[in-house]
Amino acid sequence: MFLQQLINGITIGSTYALVAIGYSMVFGVLELINFANGSVYMLGGYLTLMLYTGLVGSFGLSFGLGLLLTALVGYTIDRFGLRRLREKKVPKIAGLITTLGFSQIIENAVRIFFGSETKPYPNMLDFGQVTFGNVTITSSQVIILMISILLMLLTSVTVYRTKMGKAMLAVSQSQEASQLMGINVNGIISLTFMISSILAAIAGTLVGMYYQNIDASMGASVGMKALASAVLGGVGVLPGAMVGGVLMGIFETLGASYISSGYRDAISFAILIIVILFKPSGLFGRKQINKV
Amino acid sequence: MRKQKHRVVAMILAMILLAGCGVSGDETTAPAGSTGEAASAEGTGEITKYTLAASVPLTGNMMQYGTSYKNAIEMAVADFNAAGGLNGQDVKFEVYDDKGDQKEGINVANMIISNEDVFAVIGSYGSSVSMAAAPVYQEGAVPMLSPNTSHPDYPGMGSMMVPLACKSEVIFGSIAEMLYEQFGACNMAVIYQNTDVGITTLEAVQERFESLGGTICAAETFVPNQTKDFTPLLSKIKGTNPDILFIVAEYSDGASIVLQSKQLGMEDVQLVGVGNVFKQEFLDLAGTNADGMLLMGIARIYTDEVMANNDFGEYTADIVERYNATYAADGGVEFDNFAALAYDGAMLAMHAAAEVGTDNPEVLAEEIRKMDIPLCAGDAWFDANGDLQREVFTFTVENGEFVYLPEE
Amino acid sequence: MALLRLEHIVVNYGSIKALKDISFTVEEGEIVTLIGSNGAGKSTTMRAITGLKELAGGKIFYQEQDISKWSTRKKVENGIVLSPEGRQIFPRFSVLENLRMGGYLRTKAQCEETLEVVHQLFPILKERENQPAGTLSGGEQQMLAVGRAMMGGPKLLLLDEPSLGLAPLVVKDIFSLIQKIRDLGTTVLLVEQNARSALKISDRAYVLETGKIVLSGTAEELLRSDQVQKAYLGM
């Protein structure tokens, strides 16, 4: 059972990682936790499903459109919610509450427009499964893991090797200095939001397919877990978010198997607390070099 | 600086005001009056109140159930008024959103009992909220009909309480017996949600099944709607070699459990589901994975196929048809057992009011308990112990469709 | 035509009038200094010129074009680059990455060319190329800030308090480097509290007090002025 649950944990953990990356990136550039990221994850899954069953016949097209729309939502949160607050230089907490507000709006809008009942989700990744002794690995698991790894690589390459990515890193260190370099700081921030939204939307769709259903409340709990993953790995550090996500998935699944299912969430968060007690900046977090 | 502080204070005040306005009924309610006075010992047959209230979750996780309740009660009130109403006057229906939350349920209850025109209340969805609000209705002397509260402590909370669902030990004891008769003294694993309903169900089933000679080989709990991943629990359960897997869950969790049990290779285990899986939405999610599953309970299934192949009586069939035509046309949720119970509850309250008047809540509640009218949710009666008894129905799934198994 | 001309600039921070009425010019090839005590408005002026702070009134002209509403990006594109007060280097980037950031808007070829020049002016930056900038000493960070600003290929280089917090020997180096930069063809507008060293290398200077220009003239004139000597040169 251990191996089986390890595999389950890694699979679900890699989807947490995708959402955690979003938290990390936004925190990196804005020093702000985007509480709406969880609901964007849920929205992404919903949009793909509703487009597929309602309008467009092709899943690929629906998926693409869904991602586009979700990126638009991410852009909106920043452009119309947070940017004005930045311009007026209000304390950070206003931004935090704004993202909380957006998460409520998104969640309830989904309930109103799509209904609050759980909906079946087609599993486009179902190509069978292989069994080795006690362990069954499904095609969905393999594909999800591969897609997640691919996305994590893409994100890393984008952030660490492209000019745009360097600009993001610059903005995360000093918005003002970045502006002085001629970087369009607001543009970079919007881009960050869009990237994190797309990652979340992909994760939401993958998870919908994995469990073959979707409901409006799935954003809230995954949002919390992904945030915890980002903190576990060290907020603002991309590889940390990825590792944190996978670890969270593993802790949760193993905890549920061996300790208690009722406490599965509590176990993950307990581990998070223990790690933070000993290393407050997270597993990969850096000690703050004071900005000069 | 001062300007800023003033603005902040103003904002906070505005937010408090808005929060206060958040809980509201569909129509404006009368301002607070005194709670119902203890009336005279006998009913005078006088009808002085005309409002039937409902406390249901119209927003939040449970909103689909609340909507079913609301629609059903609305239809019942319309039907009742069309047939003459209360002494020629229309019954008014006021629905309140309790958000599926205990605190909100209590808020709503306070608002309802302070409305002097309310003669009865239907609500809420689920034992937790209903039992939180019950003391308020008892104190306010408003008869409370609760469609799906099966917690054993509920009826004892007062003379105003009229459960429309049986206590867990009553239903599930019967179900455990029926399973014993069919499968003998075998291994039964129970996977149940960590709520009042889930826990009392487990206790009732375990007690009866074990006393008959069966074995509960595993009992695993989960928090409903918190996770979609039941593989850790199911792996554990699989290891205990169960013959029967008894599932106590809402339909979405139930579907996930059914699906994942198949994925883990538990094809030979007899699945049994109770309660809230009696919905088309369950089949939508579980599909043919649920084939062969037994669904047992006091809830009936009203899908088109079942209605076409079985005769539940004219009264019921007519209600199902008209409800679906009105409320399920644009993708709304079809008639199900929640709607049936809510419809019955409303009719019981209104007919009783017509019979004995609204000025004596005790007498009114008594009259309701006589259950003297046709019921679309199936037969129900209060036995000598004062416990509600209902018919138990058994359904199964064939080719992804519900099939009714009448008692032989 | 003056390279830079400020006409009656007004800048407010909320209800505080930081700049009440500032007008001055900078000719091409000059080193012009703004001196004044803390809070006089020197940094605010620099921030207004680069677009970090919006104008509440007045206009700024660059090569006779009205740039009052230009974005910082546009200004950098056109050759106005600021090395800010407090240096504001990117602490987690290496020295080299910091420098490359300076050349964000330019082509690779242009960057390589300027990098050569910067390395010649500040050899220590080549030495410590791969070190995280946050670990450099104060003086090294200042050089990095100036070098990074130069990577933007400025026609007009704005330097805000380049000597702040530096050891006297380092201060000497910085100021001689500023002269070298000017000799290479870049006009320099300098803001400094260290009035003496600044005036020594400048062509002209302006004295700011509480948001207004109270004195202007050639550097020699100001060095010799009684007013300036008493107020800013500690005599």
Side-chain angles (χ1 to χ4, degrees), chain B residues 57 62-69 125 250-251 276 279 338:
Chain B
M62 300 297 155
M63 93 184 221
Q64 66 207 250
Y65 302 114
T67 312
S68 291
Y69 278 17
Y125 172 81
E250 302 284 337
Y251 73 84
N276 293 340
K279 283 169 77 75
F338 300 105

Side-chain angles (χ1 to χ4, degrees), chain C residues 9-208:
Chain C
I9 300 299
V10 180
V11 173
N12 298 329
Y13 282 104
S15 49
I16 299 176
K17 292 195 193 300
L19 301 181
K20 299 186 181 126
D21 180 359
I22 302 284
S23 305
F24 66 84
T25 60
V26 179
E27 304 289 335
E28 208 168 328
E30 285 190 303
I31 297 181
V32 173
T33 299
L34 300 180
I35 59 176
S37 49
N38 266 334
K42 310 190 299 296
S43 281
T44 309
T45 307
M46 298 297 243
R47 293 169 70 84
I49 297 174
T50 47
L52 284 181
K53 185 85 182 94
E54 69 283 0
L55 300 177
K59 289 201 214 280
I60 304 179
F61 293 91
Y62 177 69
Q63 298 179 316
E64 292 310 311
Q65 260 188 302
D66 185 350
I67 65 166
S68 314
K69 296 217 191 320
W70 280 17
S71 68
T72 307
R73 183 194 175 95
K74 199 160 180 195
K75 289 175 179 171
V76 172
E77 259 175 345
N78 282 280
I80 305 177
V81 182
L82 170 66
S83 170
E85 185 187 12
R87 298 158 220 145
Q88 295 199 46
I89 51 153
F90 297 112
R92 294 199 298 270
F93 280 165
S94 69
V95 167
L96 184 57
E97 283 171 324
N98 265 277
L99 290 175
R100 288 208 191 281
M101 260 301 132
Y104 184 73
L105 293 178
R106 303 169 82 212
T107 70
K108 202 144 196 278
Q110 288 172 323
C111 286
E112 291 305 313
E113 216 184 290
T114 314
L115 194 57
E116 271 289 309
V117 177
V118 170
H119 280 156
Q120 277 177 8
L121 282 174
F122 308 105
I124 192 90
L125 294 183
K126 180 146 177 69
E127 252 181 71
R128 302 208 192 282
E129 237 178 14
N130 295 314
Q131 235 181 292
T135 61
L136 263 51
S137 72
E140 290 162 349
Q141 284 187 358
Q142 185 59 64
M143 297 198 201
L144 177 56
V146 177
R148 185 182 62 176
M150 291 188 63
M151 289 295 290
K155 264 181 94 65
L156 173 63
L157 179 63
L158 306 171
L159 297 173
D160 196 341
E161 306 272 10
S163 76
L164 196 61
L166 299 186
L169 272 179
V170 184
V171 168
K172 253 183 96 189
D173 283 336
I174 294 278
F175 281 110
S176 75
L177 282 166
I178 294 176
Q179 282 179 303
K180 286 216 190 97
I181 292 173
R182 186 268 297 268
D183 293 339
L184 286 171
T186 307
T187 310
V188 177
L189 175 61
L190 192 54
V191 150
E192 258 301 336
Q193 265 201 36
N194 185 343
R196 181 183 300 279
S197 304
L199 286 173
K200 282 215 193 117
I201 63 161
S202 306
D203 297 307
R204 291 187 302 115
Y206 296 89
V207 179
L208 260 75

Side-chain angles (χ1 to χ4, degrees), chain A residues 88-242:
Chain A
K88 301 228 183 265
K89 305 219 181 0
V90 293
K92 289 260 162 67
I93 189 135
L96 217 66
I97 296 185
T98 302
T99 62
L100 263 174
F102 269 104
S103 83
Q104 289 303 302
I105 294 175
I106 294 174
E107 194 175 313
N108 284 295
V110 167
R111 277 197 225 277
I112 292 175
F113 285 112
F114 300 136
S116 79
E117 65 276 7
T118 310
K119 292 196 187 309
Y121 213 100
N123 185 1
M124 310 305 280
L125 309 173
D126 191 6
F127 300 110
Q129 51 199 59
V130 235
T131 310
F132 307 96
N134 263 345
V135 178
T136 307
I137 305 183
T138 64
S139 61
S140 316
Q141 289 177 310
V142 175
I143 297 178
I144 289 176
L145 195 55
M146 284 188 346
I147 293 180
S148 301
I149 293 178
L150 187 64
L151 286 171
M152 290 190 230
L153 281 171
L154 265 173
T155 310
S156 298
V157 165
T158 305
V159 171
Y160 294 110
R161 297 212 188 268
T162 64
K163 196 164 178 184
M164 200 171 63
K166 277 278 191 310
M168 284 166 110
L169 288 172
V171 170
S172 77
Q173 293 175 70
S174 168
Q175 278 187 25
E176 200 166 85
S178 302
Q179 191 177 346
L180 289 176
M181 304 291 102
I183 295 173
N184 178 357
V185 172
N186 277 331
I188 292 293
I189 293 176
S190 294
L191 189 68
T192 308
F193 265 90
M194 290 200 281
I195 293 179
S196 79
S197 301
I198 290 178
L199 288 173
I202 296 177
T205 305
L206 289 176
V207 170
M209 292 196 279
Y210 185 53
Y211 288 121
Q212 298 181 48
N213 66 50
I214 189 176
D215 72 275
S217 59
M218 71 192 225
S221 73
V222 171
M224 271 296 120
K225 289 182 198 166
L227 175 56
S229 306
V231 173
L232 177 66
V235 206
V237 181
L238 238 48
M242 301 178 195

Side-chain angles (χ1 to χ4, degrees), chain B residues 147-148 150 164-167 170-172 175 274-275 278 296-300 302 337 341 377-379 388-395:
Chain B
N148 74 331
S150 59
L164 298 175
C166 307
K167 287 192 211 171
V170 169
I171 326 167
F172 296 109
I175 293 177
V274 295
F278 282 49
M296 310 174 73
I298 54 171
R300 255 201 305 226
Y302 302 92
N337 207 62
L341 289 169
D379 276 343
L388 179 70
Q389 294 278 355
R390 298 196 74 108
E391 281 183 75
V392 177
F393 303 101
T394 307
F395 288 79

